[in-house]
Amino acid sequence: MTRVGDLLVKEPSSRTILTRKHVIDLDDFAVDEIEYVFSVTDAMKEIVGRDIKKAPSLRGKTIVTLFYQPSTRTRVSFEQAAKILNADVINVSEGSSSVAKGEALINTVETLQALAADVVIVRHPHAGVPNMLARNLERMGVINAGDGMHAHPTQALVDLYTLRNHMGSLAGKKIVIVGDILHSRVVRSNLWGLVKMGAEVTLCGPPAFLPLSEAFTQIGGGNAKNSQVRIETSLEVALDGADAVMALRVQSENHGRGGITNIREYIRLYQLDARRIQIAKPDAIIMHPGPVQEGIEVTTAVARGSQSVISEQVTNGVAVRMALLYLAIVRNEATQ
Ligand code: CP
């Protein structure tokens, strides 16, 4: 057992890596490690549910959020997670850092390291930035809060944790992800996790929103012939027998909505509405990593209906990120 604050968390049975300084994507997470993150998250959830939401695990530690793109859920939940664990939090944005005066990003982040920050949480429009920082920093940990169209591992862990809480094992479960697959970093990280956990994934959307099938079916070690990942353009076909349906935001800023004929056509063919969700299993859960554009990806009635777990995903985001901060700082130091 491991002590997390005043709670005990069961260690996994195998010799999984239980420490990691950086979280860049889920490709290098073993299943045991994901399950261990979830065990720690369960303990963190207990702390979040207390009247006084405080635990001393990160007292004296400093977390920096460095966001070069807008965010509500990810930035605020990391800040809340850090504060519940008693860390000091410094928020830096593009406009408030010296990058605006021409400083290279690596120099900005090395400056944060020299100022004794323990972990930097980075969101950046360019894929690969968190990985580049992790390779060049000597001491400070890096957590990827979304890089370009590449990855959003903490959101994927939130989604996997929410799925696991509703259906237990994901082995053989049919998960449909519908929407702007091509531009989504959330879907790429989710695919790594879902495939590792044994789920059957159907990616659905208009052809302009779908990637080349080979590139995606190879995520998780599959191949075009023998893969847990399927691509489908008909939402009605995709939804048949689904255990969970996740809608993705139409990323208008990335294609001016020009990648599809028009938004009304998208709504007609791909919006999750009361009629369509009946094609899935009766107890199927409806998910969305956010931000949600109600009336486009999903009707208001479905987004706020009894099958929706969208606000639960947001709530789980705090405990999952508490677990990741704890593992990146406390566990990591304990084994050095
Ligand atoms: N899901 C997500 O990344 O939301 P934010 O952009 O609000 O952080």
Side-chain angles (χ1 to χ4, degrees), residues 199-217:
E200 305 285 333
V201 187
T202 302
L203 304 174
C204 181
F209 282 2
L210 291 171
L212 293 172
S213 60
E214 262 183 38
F216 263 55
T217 51

Side-chain angles (χ1 to χ4, degrees), residues 59-128:
R59 188 158 48 206
K61 305 297 178 190
T62 302
I63 315 290
V64 178
T65 69
L66 183 59
F67 277 54
Y68 289 84
Q69 284 182 308
S71 167
T72 305
R73 275 148 287 268
T74 313
R75 202 197 60 70
V76 174
S77 60
F78 262 119
E79 181 169 350
Q80 198 181 2
K83 285 179 172 170
I84 291 172
L85 294 176
N86 260 289
D88 296 313
V89 183
I90 298 168
N91 296 309
V92 182
S93 62
E94 185 176 16
S96 67
S97 81
S98 286
V99 169
K101 293 189 282 184
E103 183 177 62
L105 179 63
I106 184 63
N107 291 343
T108 295
V109 177
E110 281 170 348
T111 302
L112 299 173
Q113 182 175 250
L115 290 168
D118 295 282
V119 166
V120 62
I121 296 152
V122 187
R123 172 170 289 189
H124 201 279
H126 296 154

